Amino acid sequence: MKPTLLPAFLASLLLCTPAIGAGTIWISNVKLVSPEKLDRVETGAVLIEGGRIARVERGPSGPAPAGASVVDGKGYYLTPGLIDSHVHLHAVPGMSMEQGASGDSLAQAYFRQLPRSFLYYGFTTVIDLAVSDFGVIERLRKAPLHPDVFHCGEPLVLANGYPMSFYAPDKRFQGFGNYLFDPAMPTLVPEQFAPSAHTVAAGVARVAKAGGICVKTHFERGFGADRNLPVMSPAKFAEVRAATTRAGKVLVTHANSFEAQSFAVAGRADVLAHGMWHWGALNGRPGLPPEIKALLDKIVDQRTGYQPTMQVLYGLRAYVEPGYLDDPALRKVVPASLLAWFSTPQGQWFKPEVTEGEIDAAVMQSMEGPLRRQRAVVAYLAGRDANFVFGSDTPSSPTYGNLPGLNGYREMRQLHAAGMSLAQIFRAATINNARTFKLDGELGSIEVGKAANLLLMKTSPLEDVSAYDSVLTVWVRGEQTAREALAADYR
């Protein structure tokens, strides 16, 4: 994901949403669906006090505690709030970095709606994997209604590697404050940017000081016209692994190829922040080659967190997908003004980069190979019950095909079609994410003492993936909001 710096215009982007304050709330007559007790989906009740779960009752419940606000769940399903562990909060889908940072009124409208769009689809917690402007994080946290926000701080980027390579050589070192040098990968560096201040220890310390819960790294040789970027050596990655462990953080690695995931698994990364859509010399092989299976077996055995991020490619396909912009679901998560702009010649600026001169049908067809490979990998890992951790990569690039909240729901649908069971998807978006990112003392299940981040759904997420589009009520730290009030087109 390309980082950018956003100016202070976002300071005013706060939008009030009708909500009930976090007091004492008794939610009764609900079926409890919690990932640590999937064998016990039964009618019960939950007491919220001071934004936390104070009591969980399974089976027939007694009367509401004195003074509590009573919520009749009408026999619907109460679940933990969802966690999306791969977002990029600074970027405006469909806009260039420069336009998103310009103070454009369309960008302002997007940022006002942003927190509500995640909540609309039940994502009460998000993790930003690569912060380029901490002001964005702070302003989002100060919004009247917003998901819990965690982050990995500034990513540890190899000098002149991905994603520094998106910037001109004379600007890229100013844009990335946490770059690293690897003696095994010599590269040209301007004199004023001294290696001594950019050791692995210093980089991890910057992340910790900024409040990051994870450290983000990359193994990416490039794509398009630039396929020879420097990558970390095993020795340098081992330094990062050791420093991250000492700091008590989670090591996340951008790795979307067989080569990259082999490297990251050998180096004991905690999370692979992408699916494997590039198999290198194995791309044309039918089925799942033995070499791929052997790597996937290691991922399972090491309990490496795995984010398939299938919506990355589907997000690019939006520019050649007939009727994409007419989908009513877009109106729920994007302001009308921005949605209308997407259809203009200016709003279509990114399409030539996606199509590279090919006709729409050819572009659609060209993505079938990577998607086939991703589906095969997901199906195999699902069959072995791998440690899937849900992440949508929203937005993965300047495409308008990855919209907040909706992108997560569509990721779930793609994962289910690829072979993940409904229980695996539910665990990936709740307890697996919480445990892998060391947040399970606070989030991920309906248990006493945890934050009251909860969803009331009409349909059980264990019965149909469409349940994630049946949310009725959202609680964040005990604050209750009707889903309909979160929509961009709410009046």
Side-chain angles (χ1 to χ4, degrees):
M1 192 63 237
K2 301 177 184 179
T4 185
L5 299 179
L6 297 183
F9 78 90
L10 292 178
S12 63
L13 304 185
L14 303 181
L15 180 65
C16 294
T17 301
I20 297 175
T24 302
I25 303 172
W26 178 249
I27 308 171
S28 63
N29 189 24
V30 290
K31 295 183 180 71
L32 301 176
V33 186
S34 192
E36 86 289 1
K37 293 182 180 293
L38 290 186
D39 59 333
R40 293 190 62 187
V41 177
E42 55 192 331
T43 300
V46 171
L47 178 66
I48 299 173
E49 289 182 340
R52 294 194 170 274
I53 298 171
R55 189 193 313 170
V56 179
E57 294 190 2
R58 295 178 178 271
S61 57
S69 300
V70 178
V71 175
D72 182 357
K74 299 181 180 180
Y76 293 141
Y77 299 86
L78 191 71
T79 78
L82 308 177
I83 303 170
D84 188 338
S85 61
H86 193 156
V87 303
H88 300 284
L89 298 173
H90 67 273
V92 181
M95 286 192 173
S96 67
M97 294 185 292
E98 293 76 16
Q99 185 174 5
S102 68
D104 187 294
S105 62
L106 296 176
Q108 292 188 47
Y110 169 79
F111 280 106
R112 283 195 294 268
Q113 174 61 30
L114 174 62
R116 304 194 310 161
S117 294
F118 280 117
L119 295 176
Y120 184 83
Y121 278 98
F123 294 101
T124 58
T125 301
V126 296
I127 303 176
D128 192 321
L129 293 192
V131 180
S132 64
D133 184 350
F134 287 99
V136 175
I137 304 291
E138 292 310 310
R139 284 184 285 271
L140 189 60
R141 286 172 172 170
K142 290 177 182 177
L145 187 66
H146 59 85
D148 285 338
V149 180
F150 298 91
H151 63 80
C152 293
E154 293 181 87
L156 270 63
V157 179
L158 191 63
N160 291 315
Y162 178 91
M164 288 183 79
S165 54
F166 287 122
Y167 285 73
D170 62 337
K171 297 184 182 299
R172 61 183 54 160
F173 286 89
Q174 291 98 323
F176 291 84
N178 228 5
Y179 53 87
L180 300 177
F181 299 91
D182 188 343
M185 298 289 171
T187 184
L188 294 175
V189 177
E191 289 185 8
Q192 65 269 36
F193 299 104
S196 60
H198 289 272
T199 63
V200 168
V204 173
R206 290 188 191 98
V207 171
K209 184 177 180 180
I213 65 169
C214 40
V215 173
K216 174 73 178 294
T217 58
H218 307 81
F219 189 102
E220 174 65 72
R221 293 196 184 277
F223 40 83
D226 197 351
R227 297 175 179 269
N228 194 31
L229 299 177
V231 294
M232 284 191 198
S233 64
K236 181 59 64 173
F237 194 79
E239 282 187 57
V240 175
R241 172 69 276 178
T244 302
T245 299
R246 287 193 297 271
K249 308 301 180 185
V250 177
L251 180 57
V252 181
T253 301
H254 164 107
N256 57 36
S257 67
F258 175 50
E259 179 194 20
Q261 294 194 6
S262 297
F263 175 90
V265 170
R268 293 282 180 165
D270 296 310
V271 176
L272 301 180
H274 280 301
M276 191 195 305
W277 53 77
H278 302 303
W279 293 358
L282 304 174
N283 274 350
R285 295 266 289 274
L288 200 61
E291 299 94 325
I292 304 291
K293 288 183 181 179
L295 174 60
L296 299 180
D297 287 340
K298 290 181 182 178
I299 290 171
V300 172
D301 293 342
Q302 292 180 191
R303 302 306 294 164
T304 306
Y306 201 88
Q307 296 179 341
T309 62
M310 297 188 70
Q311 273 298 116
V312 170
L313 294 181
Y314 285 100
L316 294 173
R317 279 176 34 151
Y319 287 91
V320 295
E321 182 181 327
Y324 170 79
L325 291 175
D326 298 323
D327 187 339
L330 275 62
R331 297 198 292 269
K332 301 299 181 182
V333 297
V334 176
S337 57
L338 183 58
L339 184 57
W341 180 79
F342 289 158
S343 297
T344 67
Q346 295 81 8
Q348 293 282 314
W349 72 274
F350 190 57
K351 182 175 180 178
E353 295 196 28
V354 174
T355 60
E356 296 183 326
E358 297 285 344
I359 63 172
D360 290 2
V363 175
M364 292 281 281
Q365 181 60 38
S366 70
M367 294 184 184
E368 282 306 311
L371 286 170
R372 174 190 65 81
R373 293 188 284 272
Q374 273 195 306
R375 294 185 192 110
V377 167
V378 169
Y380 186 84
L381 289 174
R384 292 214 54 202
D385 201 22
N387 180 30
F388 288 105
V389 291
F390 183 84
S392 66
D393 195 5
T394 300
S396 59
S397 67
T399 176
Y400 55 48
N402 299 138
L403 301 176
L406 177 61
N407 197 45
Y409 174 54
R410 289 182 168 174
E411 176 79 10
M412 290 175 166
R413 298 188 71 90
Q414 295 299 339
L415 294 175
H416 189 44
M420 281 180 66
S421 72
L422 294 172
Q424 286 174 324
I425 292 170
F426 182 63
R427 288 197 300 267
T430 54
I431 198 65
N432 287 7
N433 256 337
R435 287 172 177 163
T436 300
F437 283 90
K438 302 181 181 182
L439 299 172
D440 52 313
E442 183 80 357
L443 304 168
S445 59
I446 304 176
E447 296 183 84
V448 172
K450 293 193 176 184
N453 289 6
L454 302 166
L455 307 176
L456 184 65
M457 298 182 181
K458 283 186 179 181
T459 305
S460 170
L462 303 180
E463 295 175 0
D464 198 303
V465 73
S466 67
Y468 298 102
D469 198 19
S470 76
V471 175
L472 290 170
T473 309
V474 179
W475 285 268
V476 181
R477 302 279 166 172
E479 291 195 15
Q480 175 182 329
T481 307
R483 186 199 194 196
E484 62 183 16
L486 297 165
D489 61 359
Y490 176 69
R491 297 291 182 268

